[in-house]
Amino acid sequence: MNSFDRFYGGWQEQLRHLVDQLAAAPKPPISPDHHHQLHHLVSKFMDHYAEYHRTKALEVDRDVLSVLAAPWITALERSLQWIGGCRPTTVFHLVYTESSILFESHMIDILRGYRTGDLGDLSPSQFRGVSELQCDTVREENAITEELSEWQDGMSDLMVASSNLEEKIGKLGAIVKKADDLRLKTVRRVVELLTPQQAVEFLISASELQFGIRGWGLNLGKSPNNLTQKEKEK
């Protein structure tokens, strides 16, 4: 187990504590004091998320291939990754899904003019902001994908110039960092478009999705088909 393995385990544990704090946060209607409390919790969560990316960037500099192999996560999680992490555009699918579910559950109240204040109560300007951000993110995501594709095509050059390997690996690290920067920037900008209450709900949903996928991956790893003969005989 390397240092990043240990860091990731502790980071995940702290993430669960933060999600518990978000889940216990005040619900609408909220007072100005509650609004301040929610803003503090969201900032605390985002600082934790940023810490992960700062530490990961150092690991990329040390061994980018290890970061892409990601031995600290499950095989299922690795199968869903895009350049060392989730696709930034996954954030928008989550926002739209949660908004639709909550809107349907509160439809009568919302149509009567009652403001629920949750993700099902996004304003037209918020929807417009999310849509515009999604378009920008798709463009950036596609550009990074193309950059990785060009890097992969260029690897054939190593057959005749193996001395360029270190330089090529360095370029790969830069691509991974660019993907991580887009991931962090996308989450930050989505949170900025939401009210503190909506941001709390969004961050809880995103974390629960992450925990769920990890849980499924761990369970798959324990299935009989994935056990060694010695493990099956125990």
Side-chain angles (χ1 to χ4, degrees):
M1 178 182 292
N2 64 25
S3 60
F4 193 80
D5 284 305
R6 291 189 293 272
F7 164 79
Y8 188 74
W11 184 86
Q12 277 275 322
E13 183 177 350
Q14 181 61 24
L15 180 66
R16 291 184 181 277
H17 291 318
L18 289 172
V19 171
D20 288 341
Q21 292 178 34
L22 292 178
K27 304 296 189 294
I30 58 176
S31 68
D33 287 342
H34 288 158
H35 188 279
H36 177 75
Q37 181 182 347
L38 294 178
H39 181 75
H40 173 72
L41 288 172
V42 170
S43 296
K44 188 176 178 181
F45 188 100
M46 292 307 301
D47 287 344
H48 186 64
Y49 192 52
E51 179 189 9
Y52 168 76
H53 283 84
R54 285 194 298 270
T55 306
K56 185 180 176 184
L58 295 175
E59 186 67 13
V60 168
D61 289 335
R62 192 187 71 81
D63 187 355
V64 63
L65 298 181
S66 175
V67 169
L68 290 174
W72 43 84
I73 62 176
T74 66
L76 176 61
E77 290 172 286
R78 284 192 291 274
S79 73
L80 298 173
Q81 286 201 332
W82 171 81
I83 317 182
C86 67
R87 281 187 174 274
T89 45
T90 302
V91 167
F92 302 103
H93 299 304
L94 183 61
V95 170
Y96 293 137
T97 298
E98 289 296 311
S99 179
S100 296
I101 292 173
L102 290 171
F103 177 80
E104 290 177 4
S105 66
H106 302 312
M107 183 182 297
I108 300 301
D109 289 334
I110 292 175
L111 292 178
R112 288 175 175 172
Y114 174 71
R115 313 310 300 180
T116 61
D118 57 22
L119 281 172
D121 194 18
L122 293 177
S123 68
S125 63
Q126 284 179 309
F127 270 117
R128 183 168 58 253
V130 171
S131 179
E132 291 173 353
L133 177 58
Q134 182 179 17
C135 291
D136 292 341
T137 304
V138 167
R139 283 193 291 271
E140 292 188 64
E141 192 178 277
N142 288 340
I144 296 172
T145 299
E146 180 63 27
E147 191 172 347
L148 177 62
S149 179
E150 292 175 358
W151 181 89
Q152 292 170 330
D153 290 340
M155 284 300 291
S156 59
D157 297 339
L158 294 180
M159 298 293 291
V160 294
S162 58
S163 60
N164 292 331
L165 179 59
E166 186 174 341
E167 179 182 349
K168 291 289 289 184
I169 295 301
K171 290 181 178 179
L172 177 60
I175 294 172
V176 173
K177 285 184 177 181
K178 192 176 294 186
D180 277 338
D181 287 344
L182 181 58
R183 277 184 273 268
L184 179 58
K185 181 176 72 172
T186 301
V187 173
R188 277 178 169 163
R189 292 183 65 185
V190 166
V191 167
E192 289 170 358
L193 288 169
L194 304 175
T195 66
Q197 180 64 47
Q198 292 167 342
V200 165
E201 295 172 353
F202 162 69
L203 294 174
I204 290 175
S205 297
S207 300
E208 288 179 343
L209 177 61
Q210 180 180 340
F211 295 151
I213 293 174
R214 182 165 182 80
W216 296 334
L218 291 172
N219 287 333
L220 285 172
K222 296 175 182 177
S223 68
N225 291 335
N226 292 325
L227 297 178
T228 64
Q229 186 60 39
K230 180 181 292 186
E231 290 171 327
K232 291 178 181 180
E233 292 173 353
K234 288 183 178 180

